[in-house]
């Protein structure tokens, strides 16, 4: 019989997509009520990896990644995804079902980057309440590494560098 050990808390991250960056301060107010203070944010940069979101959001979509000072229990990922889904609904375009903001919540720990999803696939594990978890990147040979299913943008050197920086912040938090 295996011995259950207490798990370390993890660092919540959110990948934000929007064609309306002016709404982000208000979105971030809502997020900080749920997650605590933001301790890292990238610059806002163009999202050019796919046209998947253009019909819904427009063609000048921007991306930003944020992480939070307060560490969380990895077992709350489904709850966090439910919250971000509800927050996306708050910011729908008037009289439509089109999102003005897309919030991809996940976490970083020492070994991996995990994203939450509402879509099932062979490489995703069901958490409950309609939410799945995907190990998007693994930490191996001193950097994050993609899997065959990792989204193209999450494979990019730019994103890998961002996640390595967030992991460094997380590691420093664990050492204090």
């Amino acid at each position: 019989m295996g011995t259950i050990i207490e798990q370390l808390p993890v660092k919540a991250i959110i990948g934000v997509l929007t064609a309306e960056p002016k709404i982000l301060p208000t979105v971030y107010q809502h997020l900080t009520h749920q997650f605590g203070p933001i301790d890292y944010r990238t610059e806002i940069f163009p999202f050019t990896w796919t046209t998947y979101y253009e019909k819904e959001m427009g063609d000048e979509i921007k991306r930003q990644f944020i992480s939070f000072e307060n560490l969380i229990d990895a077992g709350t990922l489904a709850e966090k995804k439910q919250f971000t889904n509800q927050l996306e609904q708050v910011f729908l375009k008037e009289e439509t079902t089109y999102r003005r903001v897309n919030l991809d919540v996940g976490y970083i720990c020492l070994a991996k980057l995990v994203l939450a999803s509402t879509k099932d696939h062979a490489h995703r594990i069901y958490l409950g309440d309609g939410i799945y978890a995907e190990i998007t990147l693994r930490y191996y040979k001193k950097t994050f590494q993609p899997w065959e299913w990792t989204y193209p943008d999450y494979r990019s050197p730019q994103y890998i560098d961002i996640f390595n920086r967030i992991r460094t912040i997380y590691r420093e938090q664990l050492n204090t």
Side-chain angles (χ1 to χ4, degrees), residues 44-114:
I44 297 171
F45 53 91
F47 178 76
T48 57
W49 290 94
T50 180
T51 59
Y52 180 82
Y53 300 99
E54 285 184 6
K55 181 181 178 194
E56 181 177 32
M57 300 179 90
D59 61 358
E60 297 209 18
I61 298 171
K62 308 293 186 213
R63 163 73 88 188
Q64 185 171 46
F65 287 99
I66 59 176
S67 70
F68 299 89
E69 183 179 314
N70 298 345
L71 301 181
I72 64 168
D73 179 335
T76 65
L77 183 60
E79 170 190 321
K80 301 302 186 195
K81 180 64 174 170
Q82 292 286 357
F83 174 81
T84 58
N85 282 355
Q86 291 168 2
L87 185 55
E88 288 176 0
Q89 297 297 307
V90 170
F91 288 93
L92 290 180
K93 291 181 181 178
E94 288 186 23
E95 300 179 21
T96 73
T97 58
Y98 292 162
R99 292 178 292 179
R100 296 168 64 202
V101 65
N102 178 340
L103 303 170
D104 293 325
V105 66
Y107 66 78
I108 286 177
C109 64
L110 294 176
K112 58 192 166 282
L113 180 150
V114 177

